Amino acid sequence: MKSLVLIGAGHAHAFVLEAFAQHPDPSIAITVVSDSALSAYSGSVPAWLAGECTLRETQIDVAALSHRAGARLITSPAVALDPTKRQLALANGEAIHFDVASFNVGSTVRLPEQPFLEKHGKQTPYLLAMRPLSSLHHRWQALREKVDQCPQGSTQRVVSVGGGAAGCETLMSVLAQLRQQRSDITWQGTLVSASTTLLPDVGRLPRWLTQRALRRAGVTVLHGVRGQALIAGGVYTSEGELIDADIVLWATGAVGQPWLQDTALPLNKRGFIQVNKTLEVADQPGLFAAGDCAAFNQSLHSSPRPSSSRSSFPLPKAGVYAVRQGPVLAENLRAACHSEPLINWKPPKRVLALIGTGDGHAIASRGAIGFSGRWVWEWKKRIDARFIARFNPPFKH
């Protein structure tokens, strides 16, 4: 019997478990290693931040899904891996042997420097890091409790560092919820983007719709500015300027999980695992990675480069790519357990992005096409709910 270990309970591994639940293989013993029995679906997180749904409604029941797949679930995170000995160490002290293993552990963020905690009576802004996603609910609850203590009639300045679609959506969702929680406070929003253009990878129309939504949310956008550190009174930029802030949402600088640095896995400069087109780790047969933690060491649209190359070809850190990789990963993990040929994953040329604006509306973007409205938000919520329900057991009244 082959031992297959799934490290992390991200979106791609949900498809792997679903595939084995639908087509069991008695010759493969599956173990799932996760820090929780519930896994948040990233697409639903903005709706939860905006107060449109509960946390539980954003989560995939990993325990139930593992049970359907005949897999053993261990709720203790991985802390070390020895590819040569084929052994994984867990935080609870357990060591697990594997024949084939797959990483779907997401990403985290490189936190800003905090050199000056207090100066002339000014305090360092409250920092809300948007990654890792698995523990965001704890950080969000702590922030909301802090907001409850703010003086009545005060002004609170919320600055989001990171001008991508996730940064825009998160800031608008957070502002919507905080304004509802404390309507007696004046809330000001600022979006800090290192790019000279908002959402440079989308078409002109969806970019304009996003700019309009930010204006309606009372958000000021600063272009060509890179947030570097938190200091007394606000965010210190790489240009030596201070952006006044009371709360800072940190949604930039995605990096790999720190514990991966101590493994013998091939990592790129940002700490992501380098994989080939098959999602197999470069020069590591039987090891795979998908989703945010993976980086391709060869172009997905041209001839392969040598696997020893340290360069990688980034995809945006968006859940849609983990979702698209899931079925191919499931097929290749099964094939690897049986020493069969692997297939290549091909990224979609265009993906549909649905960006919530925190006011019951959303923007749809696909290439140059863009449209917005309340119906887009309802459409997005239905898509997200259907995705989560796909992996969860039926609700019992």
Side-chain angles (χ1 to χ4, degrees):
M1 180 174 285
K2 294 288 186 179
S3 173
L4 169 61
V5 175
L6 304 181
I7 306 166
H11 307 345
H13 280 174
F15 281 92
V16 173
L17 290 169
E18 180 190 59
F20 277 95
Q22 294 173 345
H23 302 286
D25 191 328
S27 67
I28 301 175
I30 306 173
T31 301
V32 182
V33 172
S34 173
D35 58 359
S36 173
L38 298 170
S39 175
Y41 171 54
S42 60
S44 294
V45 167
W48 163 64
L49 289 172
E52 294 258 350
C53 65
T54 66
L55 175 64
R56 184 63 187 88
E57 289 174 314
T58 72
Q59 294 172 324
I60 294 172
D61 189 337
V62 180
L65 184 56
S66 298
H67 179 74
R68 283 170 45 204
R72 174 193 179 202
L73 171 64
I74 303 176
T75 52
S76 180
V79 295
L81 176 126
D82 188 328
T84 303
K85 294 182 179 179
R86 311 300 261 190
Q87 198 168 69
L88 179 72
L90 308 185
N92 65 3
E94 191 171 350
I96 301 176
H97 170 79
F98 61 86
D99 296 299
V100 176
S102 176
F103 295 85
N104 191 201
V105 294
S107 61
T108 185
V109 293
R110 183 177 290 124
L111 295 177
E113 304 169 24
Q114 299 191 46
F116 310 114
L117 297 181
E118 191 169 345
K119 185 178 181 181
H120 303 306
K122 294 183 178 180
Q123 294 185 344
T124 303
Y126 187 92
L127 176 66
L128 178 66
M130 305 313 298
R131 299 278 175 173
L133 194 59
S134 60
S135 55
L136 176 60
H137 59 288
H138 296 302
R139 299 190 296 277
W140 177 231
Q141 182 60 34
L143 171 57
R144 295 194 63 190
E145 290 173 0
K146 178 178 174 61
V147 166
D148 280 334
Q149 306 304 315
C150 290
Q152 187 173 3
S154 61
T155 296
Q156 291 290 304
R157 299 155 299 185
V158 183
V159 174
S160 179
V161 180
C168 296
E169 186 175 35
T170 298
L171 178 57
M172 288 186 283
S173 298
V174 165
L175 284 172
Q177 177 69 338
L178 295 182
R179 283 168 175 155
Q180 181 178 351
Q181 179 181 340
R182 292 293 305 272
S183 58
D184 59 307
I185 290 176
T186 299
W187 294 96
Q188 298 176 351
T190 301
L191 183 74
V192 178
S193 174
S195 172
T196 55
T197 304
L198 184 70
L199 304 180
D201 297 329
V202 307
R204 183 178 299 176
L205 178 55
R207 185 184 306 128
W208 179 83
L209 291 170
T210 305
Q211 290 170 333
R212 185 182 68 172
L214 288 167
R215 284 196 303 271
R216 288 178 174 177
V219 174
T220 300
V221 181
L222 302 180
H223 295 293
V225 178
R226 189 178 299 276
Q228 182 171 308
L230 296 192
I231 62 174
V235 178
Y236 184 73
T237 73
S238 56
E239 291 74 28
E241 298 177 351
L242 174 67
I243 301 171
D244 294 335
D246 300 291
I247 298 170
V248 175
L249 313 181
W250 201 262
T252 190
V255 293
Q257 301 291 352
W259 70 272
L260 295 175
Q261 294 288 344
D262 296 325
T263 68
L265 297 171
L267 306 178
N268 70 1
K269 292 179 180 179
R270 301 190 71 84
F272 298 120
I273 304 169
Q274 296 199 115
V275 299
N276 301 320
K277 293 181 181 180
T278 59
L279 304 176
E280 191 173 42
V281 178
D283 298 325
Q284 297 282 354
L287 292 180
F288 294 78
D292 280 7
C293 71
F296 290 88
N297 75 333
Q298 54 188 248
S299 171
L300 294 171
H301 301 291
S302 62
S303 59
R305 290 191 177 189
S307 60
S308 59
S309 170
R310 299 301 292 178
S311 62
S312 58
F313 296 78
L315 287 173
K317 297 302 177 186
V320 63
Y321 293 103
V323 168
R324 298 295 184 93
Q325 290 166 359
V328 170
L329 178 64
E331 190 168 339
N332 279 349
L333 290 176
R334 195 187 296 264
C337 288
H338 292 286
S339 301
E340 296 174 351
L342 308 179
I343 61 174
N344 290 342
W345 177 70
K346 296 179 181 179
K349 292 183 178 179
R350 293 188 183 91
V351 295
L352 174 66
L354 297 170
I355 304 171
T357 55
D359 58 353
H361 293 69
I363 299 164
S365 170
R366 189 174 188 271
I369 301 172
F371 40 88
S372 66
R374 185 174 295 277
W375 69 270
V376 181
W377 178 243
E378 295 300 325
W379 180 36
K380 172 177 167 56
K381 289 199 296 184
R382 285 196 300 272
I383 291 174
D384 293 342
R386 192 161 55 239
F387 179 85
I388 295 169
R390 169 178 182 160
F391 301 109
N392 284 345
F395 178 76
K396 294 182 180 180
H397 295 279

